[in-house]
Amino acid sequence: MIHPQSPPVNFQFGGFYLDGRRRLLLSRSDGSTVALPTKSIDLLLYLVERAGEVVEKAALIRAVWPNVHVEENSLSQCISALRRALGEDPSDHQFIVTAPGRGYRFIADVQVVAPERPASRRPDTPRGAIRRSGVTVRSLAVLPFKPLSKEDGPASLELGMTDALIMRIGGLRNLIISPLSSVRRYGAPDQDPIAAGKELGVDCVLDGSIQRSGEQVRVSVRLIDVDSGRQLWAARFDQDFSDIFAIQDAIAERAAAALVEELTTDDRDRLRRHPTDNAQAYQLYITGWSGLTRPSCDSLEKALGYLELSVARDPAFALAHACLADCYAVFAVFGGGMPHDIFPKALAAVTRALALDPELAEAHAELGHIRMVYDLDLYAAEKSLLRALEINLHSAMAHHYMGLLLIARGQLDDALVSIRRAQALEPLALNFNANIGMIHYYSRRYEEAVVQLETTLAMDTGFDHARSLLGRAWLRLGQFDRAIREFRSRSSTTIGSAADLPAALALAGRTANATAEFERLLDPPKGRYVSAFDVATVYAALGMTADTLDWLERAIDQRAQPINFLGVDPAFDSLRAELRFERILKRLKGRPT
């Protein structure tokens, strides 16, 4: 956030309204949200706060990318994306002008306005609000509970408590609650809850700590109004660890009572509902889920171990079975092993989840994912994803996989809408943010891809899926050295990453180096899976058409990803006129809708 020491301010200029607290750019005409990456909003806020001044490039980079090394080109690309969003004509800048050799100046007439903002027309935004103790509460964040000492147990205990309360309190009337993927970054022991609430743009935060001594657990929790800093409610709970759900039930009900004047019987039933009665199974599930949120082959393999233990502890835990299925499927997509060995395990897990809970949206969404990437049946995949959204329109997972399905169909603009819906539901989910950049890449909007992917990496510099995509965008822009640096800086295996370096070296004309890297790819350590799609990617970069087509055929047979996106992948543009390539694409179409 810009200027965290001062409260956010709202601004009005031209046909736009800039909500500094919620970090949204809105149209004044209808209240609709103008889609912008997080860093573009930060950049706009910084410029608008200094309207009329020339802001030096170095100052902008320090403010928008604190503690992250980015090059000046990232700023240029971010400015370009911002100008497009504001509708500026390339030759007639109404909002941002360049001071050659220095920086940028915001020139539009800016007015500071009251906190109220135009009503968004998003149909999924709850209307009305909860009013309690003189405070209007439309939105709430449950911050990660903090351990009071390093000996208080694994982080999964704190995450589990946080997730459980998000799920239960999130069912209350007219309340928008931040997802776990958005709040988990605020788990530092010294985190200021009010500052976190302001960054998240919520009215209230629920902040707490956990202290464990043997089998006894003490939980302290408080509800805080973000604007005033006033504590609305506080309590302390002591319980046996084996009865951790009893603490969660009590906290959820007491917090809800502090938010709602009168709880109905349905409200109380919802607050006491949990997906498993086994505390160990739940903690293992949360630990596995955590590894899945930042996917790489290493993190996914570890997550699988926890999720397998979770369903072993409670075989009736439907949500854990669905998460296990997703973890298997993503592990296969990222090249963790032979897809024909892994996807049947994913299918078995999701089938079990649906048998336990036929109305579990996550399970239907994962079934759609499997139907798409393993069965290559886009019709069946769409049917499952639509069912997931019918059950829960707010399923970020379902919107995300629907976006991937639309990429497979070549409907890239529609895909961007779907994944932006997922991102709106979970703004800080790394995979969603990275895959927005991936869509820009597939759409040949490489400069926009760079801005989005650098924004994603600013959230987590170690997220190598985004780094792989960033390197590919630089590659298509002809920035071979930058691409190679990105590829060499990765520490984990992600989807298609094995092909990146030899392909980049080949396209850079460094054929001998490319051949040496390619030979290493083709001669892996014993037992390591080699993706036929990766091999085809390198052959394409080397200009060996017949070999490329042979290995693409094998990739379909292997279900090696991202074979589903072959129709839009720039790496294979040189083959578009080949009749055999057209026949390969027809194999990927799926049943007609």
Side-chain angles (χ1 to χ4, degrees):
M1 282 290 290
I2 307 302
H3 298 330
Q5 72 277 11
S6 60
V9 178
N10 301 330
F11 304 93
Q12 189 170 285
F13 52 85
F16 299 97
Y17 182 96
L18 180 59
D19 187 325
R21 175 177 172 181
R22 300 180 189 275
R23 299 170 74 246
L24 291 173
L25 181 65
L26 306 167
S27 167
R28 289 172 62 190
S29 62
D30 62 5
S32 61
T33 301
V34 179
L36 277 174
T38 303
K39 291 299 177 185
S40 293
I41 288 286
D42 288 348
L43 176 62
L44 181 59
L45 277 167
Y46 199 81
L47 288 171
V48 168
E49 287 174 344
R50 294 156 181 78
E53 304 174 18
V54 174
V55 184
E56 302 288 341
K57 293 179 182 179
L60 281 170
I61 290 172
R62 284 195 303 270
V64 178
W65 289 275
N67 305 316
V68 178
H69 175 72
V70 298
E71 299 188 29
E72 190 174 297
N73 185 66
S74 299
L75 175 61
S76 300
Q77 302 301 335
C78 209
I79 288 284
S80 296
L82 197 52
R83 281 172 166 158
R84 284 192 294 274
L86 294 172
E88 283 197 332
D89 185 274
S91 61
D92 182 23
H93 297 309
Q94 305 172 49
F95 300 101
I96 302 170
V97 296
T98 303
R102 294 184 60 195
Y104 301 92
R105 183 161 60 100
F106 195 88
I107 61 170
D109 182 33
V110 175
Q111 295 178 317
V112 177
V113 295
E116 290 76 22
R117 64 185 179 90
S120 171
R121 291 189 173 185
R122 278 176 46 188
D124 57 339
T125 300
R127 296 180 180 179
I130 297 170
R131 187 166 180 82
R132 184 67 169 171
S133 303
V135 176
T136 300
V137 185
R138 297 182 180 87
S139 53
L140 171 75
V142 181
L143 301 182
F145 280 62
K146 285 95 175 163
L148 293 182
S149 73
K150 293 181 180 179
E151 289 74 34
D152 285 341
S156 59
L157 176 61
E158 290 79 50
L159 280 179
M161 178 69 73
T162 307
D163 181 62
L165 293 174
I166 288 172
M167 285 195 297
R168 298 185 205 185
I169 299 174
L172 290 176
R173 293 158 281 171
N174 300 321
L175 186 67
I176 303 172
I177 192 161
S178 300
L180 185 58
S181 61
S182 291
V183 301
R184 62 180 301 182
R185 68 190 297 185
Y186 300 104
D190 59 349
Q191 174 65 58
D192 179 355
I194 296 174
K198 288 179 178 179
E199 286 196 18
L200 289 163
V202 295
D203 299 313
C204 287
V205 293
L206 193 69
D207 183 49
S209 63
I210 296 180
Q211 184 174 17
R212 184 173 178 181
S213 177
E215 290 304 309
Q216 290 293 308
V217 177
R218 169 170 289 180
V219 179
S220 300
V221 63
R222 55 184 178 155
L223 183 69
I224 304 171
D225 172 45
V226 171
D227 278 342
S228 67
R230 183 160 58 98
Q231 184 171 286
L232 304 180
W233 164 77
R236 191 174 71 189
F237 304 84
D238 293 287
Q239 200 79 30
D240 289 341
F241 177 72
S242 58
D243 293 330
I244 191 69
F245 290 127
I247 294 183
Q248 293 173 359
D249 292 344
I251 295 174
E253 191 162 337
R254 293 276 299 278
L259 289 165
V260 179
E261 297 289 349
E262 184 176 353
L263 293 172
T264 66
T265 301
D266 286 344
D267 287 334
R268 295 182 189 280
D269 288 343
R270 187 180 297 109
L271 290 166
R272 294 169 184 165
R273 195 177 302 154
H274 30 86
T276 176
D277 293 321
N278 187 303
Q280 286 186 326
Y282 192 76
Q283 299 306 320
L284 289 163
Y285 156 74
I286 285 293
T287 305
W289 171 87
S290 181
L292 184 57
T293 61
R294 187 176 174 268
S296 70
C297 283
D298 290 341
S299 70
L300 293 166
E301 191 167 21
K302 292 175 184 176
L304 283 171
Y306 289 112
L307 292 167
E308 289 280 15
L309 285 173
S310 177
V311 298
R313 292 282 190 279
D314 181 4
F317 190 177
L319 188 59
H321 282 285
C323 190
L324 176 62
D326 194 37
C327 198
Y328 270 126
V330 177
F331 186 56
V333 166
F334 271 61
M338 282 293 295
H340 289 306
D341 293 336
I342 300 173
F343 274 113
K345 296 178 182 179
L347 184 59
V350 80
T351 300
R352 178 63 177 154
L354 287 168
L356 291 166
D357 186 354
E359 297 299 303
L360 185 61
E362 291 86 350
H364 286 281
E366 181 50 42
L367 181 60
H369 181 217
I370 294 168
R371 295 298 185 218
M372 173 177 60
V373 296
Y374 187 61
D375 296 342
L376 304 181
D377 189 338
L378 303 188
Y379 174 80
E382 181 181 41
K383 186 176 179 181
S384 291
L385 291 169
L386 289 173
R387 177 64 183 135
L389 291 169
E390 181 183 351
I391 295 169
N392 180 10
L393 184 59
H394 306 297
S395 169
M397 181 180 179
H399 284 297
H400 179 233
Y401 284 144
M402 182 64 81
L404 300 188
L405 173 69
L406 291 165
I407 295 174
R409 285 184 169 158
Q411 299 169 234
L412 295 175
D413 289 340
D414 294 334
L416 188 59
V417 170
S418 283
I419 295 186
R420 283 203 186 281
R421 285 174 181 160
Q423 183 199 37
L425 291 162
E426 297 192 20
L428 299 180
L430 293 171
N431 222 22
F432 301 165
N433 280 276
N435 287 345
I436 288 172
M438 181 176 71
I439 293 173
H440 288 315
Y441 171 76
Y442 285 143
S443 301
R444 280 65 174 170
R445 296 190 292 263
Y446 303 124
E447 294 178 348
E448 291 182 50
V450 166
V451 171
Q452 178 64 34
L453 293 164
E454 288 186 336
T455 298
T456 305
L457 286 166
M459 300 181 198
D460 185 344
T461 57
F463 186 43
D464 283 338
H465 173 53
R467 196 165 297 283
S468 294
L469 292 166
L470 176 60
R472 290 168 206 164
W474 283 127
L475 195 60
R476 302 303 153 193
L477 287 167
Q479 300 286 332
F480 301 120
D481 289 340
R482 281 189 176 184
I484 291 168
R485 282 202 302 271
E486 297 293 348
F487 296 147
R488 289 192 187 278
S489 68
R490 298 171 306 191
S491 60
S492 58
T493 302
T494 69
I495 180 171
S497 62
D500 284 327
L501 185 56
L505 291 167
L507 292 171
R510 295 160 60 178
T511 307
N513 299 107
T515 301
E517 290 290 339
F518 194 22
E519 287 173 354
R520 280 192 280 273
L521 171 62
L522 294 173
D523 186 24
K526 186 177 180 181
R528 182 162 180 179
Y529 166 67
V530 177
S531 164
F533 190 91
D534 289 352
V535 176
T537 301
V538 181
Y539 274 128
L542 290 167
M544 302 173 69
T545 299
D547 291 299
T548 303
L549 294 169
D550 287 343
W551 281 90
L552 286 175
E553 294 277 9
R554 294 187 198 184
I556 294 177
D557 294 336
Q558 273 188 12
R559 302 301 194 265
Q561 293 302 316
I563 191 65
N564 281 86
F565 303 157
L566 178 63
V568 294
D569 195 329
F572 301 96
D573 281 353
S574 62
L575 303 178
R576 306 263 167 217
E578 296 284 336
L579 291 177
R580 188 177 166 198
F581 186 75
E582 290 183 10
R583 289 197 296 270
I584 290 172
L585 290 180
K586 287 180 180 177
R587 289 184 61 188
L588 296 169
K589 292 293 184 183
R591 283 194 284 155
T593 57

